[in-house]
Structure formats: C-alpha cells, structure tokens
Amino acid sequence: MSEQPSIKKNFIMNSLLTMSSFLFPLITFPYVSRILLPEGTGKVALATSVVSYFNMFAQLGIPTYGIRACAQVRDSREELTRTVHELLFINLVMSAFAYACLFLAICFLPKFRQEKALYCVVSITIILTAIGMDWMYQGLEQYTYITVRSVVFKLIALLGMFLLVHSKDDYVIYGGITIFAASASNVLNFINAHKYIDMHPIGKYHPWRHMKAILVFFAMACATTVYTNLDVVMLGWLKTDEDVGYYNAAVRIKSMLVSIITSLGSVLLPRASYYIEEKAMDKFRAISKKAINFVLVFSIPLMVYFMIYASYGIYFLSGRAYTNSILPMQCIMPTLVFIGLSYTIGLQMLVPLGHEKTVLYSEIAGAAVDFIINFLLIPKFASVGAAIGTAVAEFVVLIVQYVAYRKDLKFLFQKIHFPSIVLAILLSVGASWWVTMLHLGNFLTLLMTAIFFFAVYGGVLYVLKEPFTVSVVNQELQKIKKKSSSKRRG
C-alpha cells in the first residue's frame, strides 16, 4: 500500500474549502439580497436549479463514480490515465447533448425565453464542470490543491460582486459571478491534470465498461437532483419568483451548514474505497464510525441553534424584506441531521461496498415523497410547504438506507452519548438566550449567542467525557504542549 495523504490534513483542507464556500455567500448575500430583492435572487435561484437538471444529464453519475474509479487505480499512472480519458470522453459527449436540450427549452418555453440571457450565462457551468474533473482530484485526495485554487477564484468573484452588481437589473451579472466563483477554477484543473495523467491518447480505450456503474450513479444523481432542486423549481412554477427568493434565503443558510457537516464524508470516500479494495475492513469500519460521531456531535447543535435564532440569521444575511424566510428556515433545519447521516451512510459506506442501488432506491423514495408533499403544500403554504417537503424527503432517504442494512449499520450508533448531547444543548440554550434581551442588533446577537451556545455545548460534552469531543480536545492540548516544549528547548 502506497503512502496515504493524512485524513486529518485532507479534512482540514476540505473544511477550509467548505468555509470559503460558507464565507463567500455570507459576505455577498447581505449585499446582493438588498439590491436584487427577493424577485431578483429568486430568478437566479430558479435558473440555477433548472440548469442543474441539464448539468445532471451532462455529468451522468461520473462525479461520484469517478472518485471511486480513480481511487482504485491511482497507483498506476497508465490505468489512471485511461480511466480519466474514458470518463472525460463520456462527460463531453453528454455535455453537448445537454446543451442541445437546454437551448431547445429556451427557444420553446416562454418562462425560459424571457430570461434567456440568464439561462445562457448560468449554463456555462455545464462545460466548466465537465473539464474540471474534480472527481479525479478527489479520488487522488488532492484536497490542498482543490482548496487553494477554489479560494483564489472566490476572492476574485467577491471583488467582482461589489464592483459590478449595483441595481436590481444586475441579476444576470450576479448569476454569472456565482458561476465564476463556483466553477471557473475548473479551467486550472484541466491545465494541471498533466501532473497526474498523460494528456495524449494512450489507446486500448473501453469507455463502455464504465456505463453500467455510471448509469446506476446517474440514476442516483437524478433522484438526488430532483428532490434537492424540485422545491425551487415547483415554487417557481406554482407560485412566484418572490416566493423563490424567500425560500432561497433560507436554503442558502441550510446549504452552508450542510457543507460543513458533510465535509468529512467527502474526504473519507476515496479512502474508504481504497480500504475496501485492500480488504482493510477494520480500518473502513473505524473511519465510518468516526464520521457518524462527527455528524451527530456537530449537526444536532447547529440544527437547534439556527432554529432558535433563525430570525437573527435571516435579518442579518438578507434584511427585513425577507421576514417570510424565517419559518421556512426553521422547518428545513432538521435536514442538517438527516443529510449528514444519509450522506455518510450512503456515500462513505454503501457506495464503496458496492450497494449503490440501495442508495438509489432511497433517493427515488425521497424524490417521490418530495414531489407529493410539494404538490400538496406549495399552492397553499408556498415556501413553508417546500421546506416541509424537503425535510420529510431527507428523512425518508435516511430511513430507507438504514432499514435496508440495519444489521450491518448498528455498530455505527453504539456508544454514542445521546443523553450528554441533549443535556449539553439544553444548557447551551439557557446560557445563550439571555443575550436576546439586550437588543444588540442582529450581528452582535448572533455573535454573542453563538459564543455562549457553542462554548457551553463543547465544555459540557468535555466534562461529561463524550468520546469524540475528548479525543479532539486532547489532541489539540498535546499539540500545544509539544509546541511549548519545543520553544523551551529552542
């Protein structure tokens, strides 16, 4: 077995990447939402969701399958080159097909035709995603590179946002800048790929050998994309762009938090696939249990905190015009726990073990439930109905995955200190709520309540000897001791 990159380093890099994705909208959205108002942000959110369907067809199941495929052959440059060339070829062919379908939709559907400039700009993400080959870099665990280039482009986009978006008519520019921030760095991916693969043809290609697995992952991607974007699309068609704007403000906060919760699972997928390939099942189970513990310890307090202080979060990020976003945000917050668990169980465990079909069935069930609830609730409750539909759909996904392999997954939840987590949260709420009585304003209230809430939460877990918290704190204390002792010697 070749020397592996440090999981801890990968997690830190992926966390920095996640934080950059968190900070970019955190800095820009308060500015943009006040200029574009709910209607403008709603238009961009709808266009992004619609284009995501076409991008889904362009990508097939390659973003997830490619990680596993590259991780399995990463010790052979020739095999890695052949695998990447084959997957890139499939990706580019499907991208051309997706563009053809999108342009037909723009020509013949009035709602799309009215915003054709916006849809064309947002659609650039299709080709940029294809040439980016993020799945190769993730399969090779090149998280430092992924993080650095992403942060650089987000900083450029941040500058562009403040320089170019000045009125409510600049929503097309805003859409272009968001695509630049998310996908423009993929051009560097393509240029940098020669370090890991040969760029010239090497022959003996058999792209169709991937198709069976890719189609399974594609079906998974279809189901996931349907129920993660269906709420926005159905809101846009059944209600108004303004309703989409309210919902988008709530979803943005949820998405930023979910990216933090799922960051460890993203890092562990290539390592889990490698362990299974090497028959190192004890190591596979150990990192899986660690990931579940991480998800529960972090997602539950985040869910509770942002449900309680939802109004302060919405007003700080979006302004008073987004009061109708508060209840949808509270309704959608339980998805932090549901997505965190299903993402870890599905992506990190079932997929490396070859149980993609189980993940597929769970996502189909989630998509069906989401469609039914959205259809019933959106006409009457608008964004609140969409939030409820998403929360229930994510819960269904988790339940289907767990029930299918409950005998094999029981070990994941053994020795989880649930009573300690509940007690810590109750004390945290009591320790932070009094800040709201000071009327400090949205930002200071969020800052102060967060400090008291999470400091008390972590402190209580450490005192109660919750294993994950104790291990993290002890590791950091040991580092501090080593640094101080080395300074004394120096």
Side-chain angles (χ1 to χ4, degrees), residues 92-123:
L92 291 174
V93 170
M94 291 305 300
S95 294
F97 178 73
Y99 271 117
C101 294
L102 176 59
F103 290 141
L104 286 174
I106 293 173
C107 290
F108 293 104
L109 294 177
K111 195 172 184 67
F112 292 176
R113 191 165 58 246
Q114 291 171 3
E115 299 294 344
K116 60 182 179 181
L118 176 62
Y119 281 87
C120 288
V121 168
V122 174
S123 72

Short mmCIF file of all heavy atoms in Angstrom, two decimals, residues 92-123:
data_model
loop_
_atom_site.label_atom_id
_atom_site.label_comp_id
_atom_site.label_asym_id
_atom_site.label_seq_id
_atom_site.Cartn_x
_atom_site.Cartn_y
_atom_site.Cartn_z
N LEU A 92 -18.00 14.77 -21.97
CA LEU A 92 -18.08 15.80 -23.02
C LEU A 92 -19.19 15.51 -24.02
O LEU A 92 -19.89 16.43 -24.47
CB LEU A 92 -16.73 15.91 -23.74
CG LEU A 92 -15.58 16.50 -22.90
CD1 LEU A 92 -14.27 16.42 -23.66
CD2 LEU A 92 -15.89 17.94 -22.49
N VAL A 93 -19.36 14.24 -24.38
CA VAL A 93 -20.45 13.87 -25.30
C VAL A 93 -21.80 14.22 -24.69
O VAL A 93 -22.68 14.80 -25.34
CB VAL A 93 -20.38 12.37 -25.65
CG1 VAL A 93 -21.63 11.94 -26.41
CG2 VAL A 93 -19.14 12.08 -26.49
N MET A 94 -21.97 13.86 -23.42
CA MET A 94 -23.24 14.13 -22.75
C MET A 94 -23.45 15.63 -22.53
O MET A 94 -24.58 16.12 -22.53
CB MET A 94 -23.29 13.40 -21.42
CG MET A 94 -23.37 11.88 -21.55
SD MET A 94 -24.77 11.35 -22.57
CE MET A 94 -26.17 12.02 -21.67
N SER A 95 -22.36 16.39 -22.36
CA SER A 95 -22.48 17.84 -22.21
C SER A 95 -23.03 18.47 -23.48
O SER A 95 -23.88 19.38 -23.43
CB SER A 95 -21.12 18.46 -21.87
OG SER A 95 -20.67 18.02 -20.61
N ALA A 96 -22.55 18.01 -24.63
CA ALA A 96 -23.05 18.53 -25.91
C ALA A 96 -24.55 18.24 -26.05
O ALA A 96 -25.33 19.10 -26.49
CB ALA A 96 -22.28 17.89 -27.07
N PHE A 97 -24.95 17.05 -25.64
CA PHE A 97 -26.36 16.68 -25.69
C PHE A 97 -27.20 17.55 -24.75
O PHE A 97 -28.30 18.01 -25.09
CB PHE A 97 -26.52 15.20 -25.32
CG PHE A 97 -27.94 14.72 -25.30
CD1 PHE A 97 -28.64 14.54 -26.47
CD2 PHE A 97 -28.56 14.46 -24.09
CE1 PHE A 97 -29.96 14.10 -26.44
CE2 PHE A 97 -29.87 14.01 -24.04
CZ PHE A 97 -30.57 13.84 -25.23
N ALA A 98 -26.66 17.80 -23.56
CA ALA A 98 -27.38 18.62 -22.58
C ALA A 98 -27.56 20.05 -23.08
O ALA A 98 -28.63 20.66 -22.91
CB ALA A 98 -26.61 18.63 -21.26
N TYR A 99 -26.52 20.61 -23.72
CA TYR A 99 -26.63 21.96 -24.27
C TYR A 99 -27.71 22.03 -25.36
O TYR A 99 -28.47 22.99 -25.43
CB TYR A 99 -25.29 22.42 -24.82
CG TYR A 99 -24.41 23.11 -23.81
CD1 TYR A 99 -23.19 22.58 -23.43
CD2 TYR A 99 -24.81 24.31 -23.24
CE1 TYR A 99 -22.38 23.22 -22.50
CE2 TYR A 99 -24.01 24.97 -22.31
CZ TYR A 99 -22.80 24.41 -21.95
OH TYR A 99 -22.01 25.05 -21.02
N ALA A 100 -27.76 21.02 -26.20
CA ALA A 100 -28.76 21.00 -27.26
C ALA A 100 -30.17 21.03 -26.68
O ALA A 100 -31.05 21.78 -27.14
CB ALA A 100 -28.57 19.76 -28.14
N CYS A 101 -30.39 20.23 -25.64
CA CYS A 101 -31.71 20.18 -25.00
C CYS A 101 -32.04 21.50 -24.29
O CYS A 101 -33.19 21.98 -24.35
CB CYS A 101 -31.76 19.03 -23.99
SG CYS A 101 -31.64 17.40 -24.74
N LEU A 102 -31.05 22.12 -23.66
CA LEU A 102 -31.28 23.37 -22.95
C LEU A 102 -31.65 24.49 -23.93
O LEU A 102 -32.58 25.26 -23.68
CB LEU A 102 -30.03 23.77 -22.16
CG LEU A 102 -30.08 25.12 -21.45
CD1 LEU A 102 -31.23 25.18 -20.45
CD2 LEU A 102 -28.76 25.43 -20.76
N PHE A 103 -30.95 24.56 -25.04
CA PHE A 103 -31.24 25.62 -26.00
C PHE A 103 -32.62 25.44 -26.64
O PHE A 103 -33.32 26.40 -26.94
CB PHE A 103 -30.15 25.68 -27.07
CG PHE A 103 -28.83 26.17 -26.55
CD1 PHE A 103 -27.64 25.62 -26.98
CD2 PHE A 103 -28.79 27.19 -25.62
CE1 PHE A 103 -26.41 26.08 -26.48
CE2 PHE A 103 -27.59 27.67 -25.11
CZ PHE A 103 -26.39 27.10 -25.55
N LEU A 104 -33.04 24.17 -26.82
CA LEU A 104 -34.40 23.92 -27.30
C LEU A 104 -35.43 24.40 -26.27
O LEU A 104 -36.46 24.99 -26.63
CB LEU A 104 -34.59 22.42 -27.58
CG LEU A 104 -33.90 21.88 -28.84
CD1 LEU A 104 -34.05 20.36 -28.91
CD2 LEU A 104 -34.49 22.53 -30.09
N ALA A 105 -35.14 24.16 -25.00
CA ALA A 105 -36.05 24.59 -23.94
C ALA A 105 -36.15 26.11 -23.91
O ALA A 105 -37.24 26.68 -23.74
CB ALA A 105 -35.57 24.06 -22.60
N ILE A 106 -35.02 26.79 -24.08
CA ILE A 106 -35.01 28.25 -24.08
C ILE A 106 -35.82 28.79 -25.27
O ILE A 106 -36.55 29.79 -25.16
CB ILE A 106 -33.58 28.79 -24.12
CG1 ILE A 106 -32.85 28.46 -22.82
CG2 ILE A 106 -33.56 30.29 -24.37
CD1 ILE A 106 -31.37 28.80 -22.82
N CYS A 107 -35.75 28.11 -26.39
CA CYS A 107 -36.46 28.57 -27.59
C CYS A 107 -37.97 28.38 -27.50
O CYS A 107 -38.74 29.22 -27.99
CB CYS A 107 -35.94 27.82 -28.82
SG CYS A 107 -34.25 28.26 -29.29
N PHE A 108 -38.42 27.28 -26.86
CA PHE A 108 -39.83 26.93 -26.93
C PHE A 108 -40.61 27.14 -25.64
O PHE A 108 -41.85 27.09 -25.65
CB PHE A 108 -39.96 25.46 -27.37
CG PHE A 108 -39.52 25.22 -28.78
CD1 PHE A 108 -38.31 24.61 -29.04
CD2 PHE A 108 -40.31 25.63 -29.85
CE1 PHE A 108 -37.89 24.38 -30.35
CE2 PHE A 108 -39.91 25.41 -31.16
CZ PHE A 108 -38.69 24.80 -31.41
N LEU A 109 -39.95 27.37 -24.50
CA LEU A 109 -40.67 27.59 -23.25
C LEU A 109 -40.63 29.07 -22.89
O LEU A 109 -39.55 29.64 -22.68
CB LEU A 109 -40.06 26.76 -22.12
CG LEU A 109 -40.18 25.23 -22.27
CD1 LEU A 109 -39.47 24.52 -21.12
CD2 LEU A 109 -41.65 24.81 -22.33
N PRO A 110 -41.79 29.73 -22.84
CA PRO A 110 -41.83 31.18 -22.62
C PRO A 110 -41.12 31.63 -21.35
O PRO A 110 -40.44 32.66 -21.35
CB PRO A 110 -43.33 31.48 -22.53
CG PRO A 110 -43.98 30.37 -23.30
CD PRO A 110 -43.13 29.17 -23.06
N LYS A 111 -41.28 30.89 -20.25
CA LYS A 111 -40.66 31.29 -18.98
C LYS A 111 -39.15 31.30 -19.09
O LYS A 111 -38.47 32.14 -18.50
CB LYS A 111 -41.11 30.35 -17.85
CG LYS A 111 -40.82 30.89 -16.45
CD LYS A 111 -41.45 30.03 -15.39
CE LYS A 111 -41.25 30.60 -14.00
NZ LYS A 111 -41.98 31.86 -13.77
N PHE A 112 -38.59 30.37 -19.87
CA PHE A 112 -37.14 30.34 -20.10
C PHE A 112 -36.73 31.41 -21.09
O PHE A 112 -35.68 32.05 -20.93
CB PHE A 112 -36.71 28.97 -20.62
CG PHE A 112 -36.85 27.85 -19.63
CD1 PHE A 112 -36.57 26.55 -19.99
CD2 PHE A 112 -37.25 28.10 -18.32
CE1 PHE A 112 -36.69 25.52 -19.08
CE2 PHE A 112 -37.38 27.07 -17.41
CZ PHE A 112 -37.10 25.78 -17.79
N ARG A 113 -37.55 31.59 -22.12
CA ARG A 113 -37.20 32.55 -23.18
C ARG A 113 -37.13 33.97 -22.64
O ARG A 113 -36.32 34.78 -23.09
CB ARG A 113 -38.22 32.44 -24.32
CG ARG A 113 -37.81 33.20 -25.57
CD ARG A 113 -38.64 32.79 -26.78
NE ARG A 113 -40.06 33.02 -26.57
CZ ARG A 113 -40.97 32.05 -26.50
NH1 ARG A 113 -40.59 30.78 -26.63
NH2 ARG A 113 -42.25 32.33 -26.32
N GLN A 114 -37.98 34.28 -21.66
CA GLN A 114 -37.97 35.62 -21.07
C GLN A 114 -36.65 35.95 -20.38
O GLN A 114 -36.27 37.11 -20.28
CB GLN A 114 -39.12 35.74 -20.06
CG GLN A 114 -40.49 35.74 -20.69
CD GLN A 114 -41.60 35.65 -19.65
OE1 GLN A 114 -41.34 35.64 -18.46
NE2 GLN A 114 -42.85 35.60 -20.12
N GLU A 115 -35.97 34.90 -19.90
CA GLU A 115 -34.69 35.11 -19.20
C GLU A 115 -33.56 34.35 -19.89
O GLU A 115 -32.69 33.77 -19.26
CB GLU A 115 -34.82 34.62 -17.75
CG GLU A 115 -35.87 35.34 -16.92
CD GLU A 115 -35.53 36.80 -16.67
OE1 GLU A 115 -34.36 37.18 -16.88
OE2 GLU A 115 -36.43 37.57 -16.28
N LYS A 116 -33.56 34.37 -21.23
CA LYS A 116 -32.60 33.57 -21.98
C LYS A 116 -31.16 33.97 -21.68
O LYS A 116 -30.26 33.12 -21.64
CB LYS A 116 -32.88 33.63 -23.48
CG LYS A 116 -32.81 35.03 -24.09
CD LYS A 116 -33.17 34.96 -25.57
CE LYS A 116 -33.13 36.35 -26.20
NZ LYS A 116 -33.51 36.30 -27.65
N ALA A 117 -30.91 35.26 -21.47
CA ALA A 117 -29.55 35.70 -21.16
C ALA A 117 -29.07 35.08 -19.85
O ALA A 117 -27.93 34.60 -19.75
CB ALA A 117 -29.49 37.22 -21.08
N LEU A 118 -29.94 35.08 -18.86
CA LEU A 118 -29.58 34.50 -17.56
C LEU A 118 -29.31 33.00 -17.68
O LEU A 118 -28.32 32.49 -17.15
CB LEU A 118 -30.71 34.75 -16.56
CG LEU A 118 -30.55 34.12 -15.17
CD1 LEU A 118 -29.31 34.67 -14.48
CD2 LEU A 118 -31.79 34.39 -14.33
N TYR A 119 -30.17 32.29 -18.42
CA TYR A 119 -30.00 30.85 -18.56
C TYR A 119 -28.73 30.50 -19.34
O TYR A 119 -28.06 29.52 -19.03
CB TYR A 119 -31.23 30.22 -19.22
CG TYR A 119 -32.38 30.04 -18.25
CD1 TYR A 119 -33.29 31.07 -18.02
CD2 TYR A 119 -32.53 28.85 -17.54
CE1 TYR A 119 -34.33 30.92 -17.12
CE2 TYR A 119 -33.57 28.69 -16.65
CZ TYR A 119 -34.47 29.72 -16.43
OH TYR A 119 -35.50 29.56 -15.53
N CYS A 120 -28.42 31.30 -20.34
CA CYS A 120 -27.19 31.04 -21.11
C CYS A 120 -25.95 31.25 -20.25
O CYS A 120 -24.99 30.47 -20.31
CB CYS A 120 -27.14 31.96 -22.33
SG CYS A 120 -28.33 31.52 -23.63
N VAL A 121 -25.97 32.30 -19.44
CA VAL A 121 -24.83 32.58 -18.56
C VAL A 121 -24.65 31.47 -17.53
O VAL A 121 -23.55 30.95 -17.33
CB VAL A 121 -25.00 33.95 -17.87
CG1 VAL A 121 -23.98 34.11 -16.74
CG2 VAL A 121 -24.84 35.08 -18.87
N VAL A 122 -25.75 31.10 -16.89
CA VAL A 122 -25.67 30.07 -15.84
C VAL A 122 -25.27 28.72 -16.43
O VAL A 122 -24.60 27.92 -15.77
CB VAL A 122 -27.02 29.98 -15.10
CG1 VAL A 122 -27.02 28.82 -14.11
CG2 VAL A 122 -27.31 31.28 -14.35
N SER A 123 -25.64 28.46 -17.69
CA SER A 123 -25.34 27.16 -18.32
C SER A 123 -23.86 26.94 -18.56
O SER A 123 -23.43 25.82 -18.86
CB SER A 123 -26.09 27.03 -19.64
OG SER A 123 -25.53 27.87 -20.64
#
